[in-house]
């Protein structure tokens, strides 16, 4: 599995991913860009956001199995709820170790960005995601209560 930016030749793989992504809660595949007019325009948007946000796709051969969103800087909201890195794996590709590998490669990417530690958050009851973070060296700092009726968020730090 290789985690990388999209390129012009990935249009087919990207469209297949959008067809297959079931909008599971917990991960934003398109990052708010719902109206993707053309793949080439989407690539330009990703490029323009790249100082703050890197969208990295997990390829197995020619197929995309998941994605990581790497936020380069934290703001007040991300400090409690989003953290530096979010990730998601297609439903039918889960429990094969892909998320663990996606986070590992996303951490390598953060190291290259010059970050020395990253914050990762997940819902307290998201057992899979908690395991993924702990297997990548996550140290639990605390639980944050968003006070909106949703579940508590575990806040983990990983030293790079
Ligand atoms: C959470 C998520 C990313 C896990 O992806 P994945 O590719 O299945 O994770 P892995 O295969 O690397 O699994 C790591 C461990 O967690 C376990 N696991 C994964 N999903 C699980 C689940 N729903 N319940 C219990 N354990 C789970 C795996 O079995 C594995 O443990 P094991 O080796 O002891 O068997 C995936 O379910 C997903 O995309 N969910 C929706 C989005 C989301 O919640 N993202 C995380 C928040 S940023």
């Amino acid at each position: 599995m290789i985690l990388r930016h999209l390129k012009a030749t990935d249009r087919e793989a990207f469209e297949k991913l959008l067809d297959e992504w079931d909008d599971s809660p917990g991960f934003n595949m398109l990052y708010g860009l719902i109206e993707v007019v053309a793949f080439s325009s989407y690539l330009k948007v990703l490029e323009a956001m790249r100082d703050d946000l890197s969208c990295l796709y997990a390829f197995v051969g020619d197929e995309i199995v998941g994605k990581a969103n790497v936020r380069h800087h934290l703001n007040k909201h991300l400090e409690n709820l989003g953290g530096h890195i979010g990730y998601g794996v297609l439903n039918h590709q889960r429990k094969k170790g892909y998320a663990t590998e996606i986070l590992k490669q996303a951490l390598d990417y953060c190291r290259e960005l010059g970050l020395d530690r990253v914050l990762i958050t997940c819902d307290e009851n998201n057992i899979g995601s908690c395991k993924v973070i702990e297997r990548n060296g996550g140290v639990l700092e605390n639980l944050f209560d968003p006070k909106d009726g949703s579940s508590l968020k575990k806040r983990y730090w990983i030293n790079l």
Side-chain angles (χ1 to χ4, degrees):
M1 194 216 82
I2 296 172
L3 191 69
R4 62 163 173 84
H5 290 286
L6 284 179
K7 49 190 184 193
T9 49
D10 294 327
R11 187 177 58 80
E12 227 171 281
F14 182 71
E15 285 173 357
K16 189 161 179 275
L17 170 76
L18 294 186
D19 283 347
E20 290 179 357
W21 182 253
D22 71 350
D23 260 344
S24 317
F27 185 70
N28 190 339
M29 181 56 76
L30 272 182
Y31 232 94
L33 301 167
I34 293 152
E35 298 282 338
V36 180
V37 184
F39 182 64
S40 55
S41 313
Y42 187 60
L43 288 184
K44 281 185 191 141
V45 174
L46 293 181
E47 181 82 46
M49 293 195 296
R50 215 178 275 178
D51 282 348
D52 300 311
L53 167 73
S54 299
C55 294
L56 303 172
Y57 290 79
F59 281 83
V60 174
D62 289 337
E63 196 184 341
I64 300 173
V65 298
K67 181 193 177 197
N69 294 325
V70 177
R71 274 105 34 184
H72 302 194
H73 320 279
L74 294 180
N75 56 29
K76 270 274 161 265
H77 175 77
L78 293 174
E79 268 171 28
N80 292 318
L81 285 173
H84 285 97
I85 305 173
Y87 42 81
V89 169
L90 281 173
N91 238 323
H92 67 278
Q93 298 286 6
R94 289 179 186 171
K95 297 197 180 178
K96 297 181 182 178
Y98 286 139
T100 305
E101 183 60 25
I102 287 173
L103 181 55
K104 180 175 174 287
Q105 293 190 32
L107 293 172
D108 292 340
Y109 184 85
C110 287
R111 230 171 258 120
E112 283 168 24
L113 285 177
L115 297 177
D116 52 16
R117 63 176 198 147
V118 298
L119 177 72
I120 307 183
T121 67
C122 74
D123 285 2
E124 186 190 24
N125 56 8
N126 192 338
I127 298 166
S129 190
C130 293
K131 273 194 180 180
V132 167
I133 299 168
E134 285 162 15
R135 281 182 186 172
N136 275 287
V139 177
L140 183 66
E141 180 172 273
N142 64 352
L143 276 86
F144 174 76
D145 183 355
K147 297 201 168 79
D148 60 1
S150 66
S151 61
L152 295 177
K153 311 294 170 200
K154 285 182 157 179
R155 298 176 70 256
Y156 292 91
W157 286 98
I158 299 180
N159 286 322
L160 299 175

